[in-house]
């Protein structure tokens, strides 16, 4: 017997409530047979002119609709909050959980049988998946796709990565302000997300590795006609998934998360993947911990894309994209179901690499053992992370004196001082930038190199904070220190002049002072007053989990699949 569709509780009732649900939808011109029991597919769209990365999603929604109609479904598009990474203050990460709430409650409240998530910009993809996983209806992702390669003075330039490089060059006097401003227009030449392997492209790549989207979703440029075709095929497939009752809980298993960790290492993916995967796992009930990210520690870097390499996402696409990477990972991948119903290994079937300088063979990598490293010690009792593939090898084992910035305002006011008492061996420490402290855990962990050192040619230093950094960024940067300073973590107690030891190889981050001195400092420590005292931000500060738990809200972990039975009239 065929399971009755969820949408029949809205559109199948022959009473007052059914009349209301159908009649008001008919004012858009839908005929009677649209309500004949076919699957109702929600197209959850984060299109917004304030989120340039997602500005092409209005068009992709039409492609999804074509596929849904073709397969005999009824597509209905609906908006949710859109998070413009480059536009929002104080940080888009503050609102990731709000988007997840928006998605979850929209899916639950409306008469939908399945959902297509249209996202792309850094926080939209994980936020949408978190919300959809909590309702657990059949779900599939279509990403925005990357922009075309940036161009300036006859060379390719990459989102974010070259912004940081050019900015330091201007501060060092090696680049004119006129050239800096000229590069601005050439960097972002089309709709789409950052064309480096930043967080947006990382999350699209990991969605493919987890099998929650169709193959090739990660790398097809936003303006490539094949992405519209992919949207069409996705619309067709979601109708089939509803018939098969294939849900996120069937796909987002522990094996799928482990595949994402392995793939993140292979592509040189963003450190932000850590907090997003942890939060997503918390929604589907997978016991994923920070320690699990050590699984990727021995996986070599295969994708030669900025910031860990040379090329950009357009080149990655033309070289063969994620199917080639999955093929290279081969037996390292865990068996895991995908939205196509089969195993993830099928995504690599027939994969052929067309440029071995862009996607390396497993036995001829760009860098060996380049996955994220998890650090622990008295400075990070609950963990911190570092990205060796984007760091300076010589700094991955380092001991030096700390110079402490108590707040982001302290850093901005003093980083360019000519008399700042720092050397290339100094370890820069930034406090107050964790989930509670900023709030929202912004991408400021890749602190600028002090101007006096930039002018001497220094381009990297060890930096330690409770913040995140952009997936497009690079450097020997220790991130996500947990507990954060505002929560009373050891980071809050660090003083300028303290010595810190970093060992990426040993997974250690130690503050080299006595336990007695730490206890003395802790006895007098007080948290800073909160920056927000009302609205969602107040709720966020009161309930956000630490970075090692994914920075979700404590009352949103897990899922709620109970049917909604009460009517509005």
């Amino acid at each position: 017997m065929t399971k009755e569709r969820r949408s029949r509780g809205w559109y199948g009732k022959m009473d007052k409530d059914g009349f209301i649900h159908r009649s008001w939808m008919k004012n858009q011109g839908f005929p009677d047979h649209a309500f004949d029991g076919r699957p109702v597919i929600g197209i959850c769209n984060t299109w917004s002119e304030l989120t340039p990365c997602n500005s092409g999603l209005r068009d992709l929604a039409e492609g999804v609709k074509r596929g849904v109609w073709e397969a005999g479904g009824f597509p209905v598009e609906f908006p949710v909050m859109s998070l413009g990474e480059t536009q929002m203050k104080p940080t888009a990460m503050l609102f990731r959980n709000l988007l997840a709430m928006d998605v979850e409650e929209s899916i639950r409240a409306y008469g939908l049988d399945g959902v297509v998530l249209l996202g792309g910009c850094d926080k939209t993809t994980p936020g949408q998946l978190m919300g959809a996983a909590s309702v657990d209806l059949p779900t599939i992702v279509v990403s925005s796709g990357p922009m075309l390669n940036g161009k300036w003075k006859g060379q390719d330039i990459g989102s974010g990565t070259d912004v940081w490089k050019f900015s330091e060059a201007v501060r060092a006097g090696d680049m004119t302000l006129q050239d800096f401003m000229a590069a601005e227009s050439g960097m972002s030449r089309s709709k789409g997300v950052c064309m480096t392997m930043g967080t947006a492209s990382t999350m699209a790549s990991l969605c493919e590795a987890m099998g929650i989207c169709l193959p090739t979703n990660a790398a097809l440029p936003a303006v490539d006609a094949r992405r519209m075709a992919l949207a069409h095929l996705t619309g067709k497939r979601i109708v089939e998934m509803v018939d098969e009752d294939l849900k996120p809980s069937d796909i987002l298993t522990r094996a799928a998360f482990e595949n994402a960790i392995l793939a993140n290492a292979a592509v040189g993916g963003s450190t932000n993947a850590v907090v997003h995967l942890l939060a997503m796992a918390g929604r589907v009930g997978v016991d994923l911990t920070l320690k699990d990210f050590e699984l990727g520690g021995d996986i070599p870097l295969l994708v030669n894309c900025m910031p860990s390499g040379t090329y950009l996402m357009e080149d990655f696409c033309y070289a063969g994209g994620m199917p080639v990477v999955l093929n290279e990972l081969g037996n390292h991948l865990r068996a895991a179901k995908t939205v196509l119903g089969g195993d993830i290994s099928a995504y690599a079937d027939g994969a052929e690499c067309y440029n071995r300088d862009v996607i390396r063979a497993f036995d001829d990598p760009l860098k060996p053992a380049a996955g994220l490293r998890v650090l622990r010690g008295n400075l990070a009792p609950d963990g911190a992370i570092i990205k060796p593939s984007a760091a300076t090898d010589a700094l991955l084992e380092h001991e030096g004196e700390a110079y402490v910035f108590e707040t982001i305002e302290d850093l901005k006011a003093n980083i360019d001082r000519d008399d700042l008492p720092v050397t290339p061996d100094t370890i820069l420490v930034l406090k107050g930038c964790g989930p509670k402290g900023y709030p929202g855990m912004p991408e400021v962990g890749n602190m600028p190199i002090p101007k006096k050192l930039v002018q001497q040619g220094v381009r990297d230093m060890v930096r330690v904070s409770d913040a995140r950094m952009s997936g497009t960024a690079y450097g020997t940067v220790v991130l996500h220190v947990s507990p954060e300073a505002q929560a009373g973590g050891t980071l809050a107690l660090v003083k300028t002049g303290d010595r810190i030891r970093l060992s990426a190889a040993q997974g250690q981050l130690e503050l080299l002072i006595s336990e007695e001195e730490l206890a003395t400092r802790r006895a007098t420590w007080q948290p800073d007053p909160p920056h927000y005292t009302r609205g969602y931000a107040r709720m966020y500060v009161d309930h956000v989990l630490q970075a090692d738990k994914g920075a979700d809200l404590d009352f949103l972990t897990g899922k709620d699949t109970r049917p909604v039975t009460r009517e509005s009239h």
Side-chain angles (χ1 to χ4, degrees), residues 20 62 136 153 403 536:
I20 290 171
E62 297 305 313
D136 205 28
K153 288 193 171 182
Y403 186 88
Y536 167 75

Side-chain angles (χ1 to χ4, degrees), residues 106-222:
S106 293
I107 293 173
R108 180 178 289 114
Y110 286 109
L112 308 176
D113 300 302
V115 185
V116 176
L117 304 178
L118 297 185
C121 194
D122 294 17
K123 311 304 178 291
T124 55
T125 298
Q128 285 179 294
L129 275 168
M130 288 161 63
S134 292
V135 189
D136 205 28
L137 296 183
T139 299
I140 191 169
V141 169
V142 178
S143 298
S144 306
M147 288 185 278
L148 298 177
N149 289 358
K151 298 286 184 179
W152 179 68
K153 288 193 171 182
Q155 63 180 331
D156 286 348
I157 57 174
S159 306
T161 303
D162 279 313
V163 175
W164 318 130
K165 290 180 180 178
F166 293 164
S167 178
E168 295 294 70
V170 172
R171 295 174 69 230
D174 297 333
M175 183 180 193
T176 67
L177 183 60
Q178 183 179 1
D179 277 349
F180 182 71
M181 302 308 292
E184 178 181 308
S185 297
M187 182 164 285
S188 305
R189 298 191 304 121
S190 75
K191 296 177 180 178
V193 303
C194 293
M195 82 297 283
T196 48
M197 188 59 77
T199 304
S201 290
T202 294
M203 294 311 298
S205 298
L206 301 194
C207 282
E208 196 166 332
M210 299 176 84
I212 196 69
C213 61
L214 293 181
T216 73
N217 171 75
L220 287 169

Side-chain angles (χ1 to χ4, degrees), residues 271-342:
T271 51
N272 291 310
V274 176
V275 288
H276 297 325
L277 291 175
L278 288 169
M280 288 161 55
R283 296 301 186 99
V284 293
V286 171
D287 185 21
L288 196 72
T289 69
L290 200 57
K291 183 174 177 57
D292 290 316
F293 286 83
E294 296 172 358
L295 291 169
D298 294 329
I299 296 296
L301 176 63
L302 305 182
V303 177
N304 187 8
C305 275
M306 296 182 192
S308 297
T310 304
Y311 293 96
L312 297 167
M313 289 298 292
E314 190 179 350
D315 308 302
F316 179 46
C317 173
Y318 303 153
M322 278 304 292
V324 176
V325 175
L326 297 176
N327 188 52
E328 290 296 334
L329 287 171
N331 292 333
H332 291 274
L333 290 176
R334 281 61 167 155
K337 186 177 287 190
T338 74
V339 292
L340 290 176

